[in-house]
Amino acid sequence: MFPAQNRRQFLTAIAGLSVSQIAFGQSSALTTTKLTDNISLISGAGSNVLVLNTRDGVLMVDGGGAEHSADLMKVAAGPVRVLFNTHWHLDHTGSNEAVARTGAKIIAHENTKLWMGAEIISMWEHKTYPPRPKEARPSATFYTKDKITFGKEEIQYGYLGQAHTDGDIYVFLPGPNILVTGDVFTVGSYPVMDYTTGGWIGGLSDASKTLAALGDAQTRVIPGSGPLQTHADLQAQADMCAEMRTRFVGMMRKGMSAKDMLASAPTKEFDARWGDPQLFILNAYPGLWAHVREIGGIV
């Protein structure tokens, strides 16, 4: 827990954020981008959705928001047999109920399943999430990494640690060389560190480095939302997060508050690419306090 004075400063600063700044993403009409003969990227569902169509049915990575679930099932063009949740947020797990009713397997990290079964009080969003219905929760979980074969494709997946949340995973298809990152990797805005459910800058830096170590220069990278990215784009985020981890820790060791950190403009050379850093900096602050002993030299 961070000191009362700094906690008050943080709450005062974050209270000024608009709803649009703290939303996980807005939806639009669904669009389909063919990546291979049987793999598509569906956009506009609240999150990016990867769809793999085979004779065995459909495998999906993330399911968008619940309001798009019916349309997404139509676009998927087949019975969904496997659905991956890259983390618990509603804009990625909104199709869980509909998919579960068909008997599909829902795969996620164990922490994602635990969060979906709990009430979550999100201080930075000023919002409380009730527990999800039992049928909406993942039916198969893992802790480190695993792989399956679906149709003729090998599907590798692994845990990314405490990054965007503490249940983030990647899904990698080595054959077509496609990597799905969830919201650990972002386009046009800084990654969100949801400290309420375990996100923090140290873990985000480590996770970005892990993602950058997967695949090669030809890997097509699907972020949580936004257009398809390259491996070079992913490496750029890993470099940025590593630098911001160093800077934020240094500021904490100097006793700077969230307001002080924001005023010092620590991200200024990165803002042209990632946009407004306000939420990124303010959410980094409590996440750092949650790891104060690990960081050392602060208290």
Side-chain angles (χ1 to χ4, degrees):
M1 198 66 181
F2 42 95
Q5 181 180 1
N6 287 343
R7 184 164 65 251
R8 286 194 297 271
Q9 290 173 332
F10 168 75
L11 290 171
T12 298
I14 202 169
L17 291 175
S18 69
V19 172
S20 63
Q21 286 175 296
I22 65 175
F24 283 127
Q26 302 299 321
S27 58
S28 58
L30 302 187
T31 59
T32 301
T33 302
K34 293 284 285 186
L35 303 181
T36 71
D37 288 343
N38 65 337
I39 299 175
S40 300
L41 167 61
I42 311 299
S43 304
S47 71
N48 280 330
V49 178
L50 179 138
V51 175
L52 167 62
N53 293 93
T54 76
R55 292 180 178 179
D56 299 326
V58 174
L59 178 145
M60 291 197 335
V61 183
D62 283 331
E67 66 275 20
H68 299 289
S69 181
D71 290 338
L72 184 60
M73 296 303 104
K74 293 176 183 176
V75 173
V80 179
R81 302 303 187 196
V82 176
L83 168 64
F84 282 92
N85 292 159
T86 59
H87 60 289
W88 71 267
H89 288 151
L90 302 185
D91 59 337
H92 289 255
T93 61
S95 292
N96 280 27
E97 286 93 333
V99 168
R101 284 194 291 269
T102 70
K105 177 187 290 187
I106 302 176
I107 302 174
H109 189 266
E110 177 67 17
N111 288 346
T112 293
K113 181 177 182 179
L114 293 174
W115 284 121
M116 291 176 70
E119 179 181 80
I120 300 171
I121 301 173
S122 180
M123 187 169 66
W124 65 275
E125 291 182 286
H126 312 289
K127 187 173 182 178
T128 298
Y129 294 91
R132 299 286 292 279
K134 185 175 180 180
E135 60 272 18
R137 303 171 201 169
S139 55
T141 62
F142 70 102
Y143 289 93
T144 54
K145 59 183 179 179
D146 208 339
K147 62 183 178 180
I148 61 173
T149 298
F150 192 84
K152 296 181 180 180
E153 296 292 347
E154 180 179 291
I155 315 294
Q156 301 174 2
Y157 50 100
Y159 182 43
L160 290 169
Q162 295 178 305
H164 170 59
T165 70
D166 67 6
D168 299 302
I169 69 169
Y170 67 83
V171 179
F172 182 49
L173 286 66
N177 203 4
I178 297 170
L179 174 63
V180 186
T181 69
D183 279 344
V184 170
F185 177 44
T186 58
V187 180
S189 61
Y190 283 96
V192 172
M193 291 169 280
D194 181 5
Y195 65 86
T196 300
T197 54
W200 81 294
I201 185 60
L204 183 65
S205 177
D206 291 342
S208 298
K209 182 178 179 181
T210 296
L211 289 171
L214 293 166
D216 54 33
Q218 284 69 51
T219 302
R220 288 175 287 179
V221 185
I222 298 177
S225 60
L228 202 66
Q229 299 292 291
T230 67
H231 187 270
D233 296 318
L234 187 55
Q235 184 62 56
Q237 177 176 299
D239 294 342
M240 179 274 290
C241 288
E243 180 60 30
M244 295 318 306
R245 176 182 189 168
T246 299
R247 293 183 191 181
F248 288 158
V249 168
M251 291 176 179
M252 291 287 285
R253 287 176 175 160
K254 292 178 182 178
M256 295 177 71
S257 67
K259 185 177 180 181
D260 294 334
M261 291 169 67
L262 193 60
S264 71
T267 65
K268 57 185 177 182
E269 74 265 40
F270 299 113
D271 292 347
R273 181 166 188 162
W274 281 280
D276 185 352
Q278 185 177 25
L279 182 60
F280 183 65
I281 296 170
L282 292 177
N283 273 20
Y285 186 74
L288 286 161
W289 275 109
H291 292 266
V292 66
R293 288 187 175 86
E294 176 183 340
I295 295 168
I298 295 177
V299 294

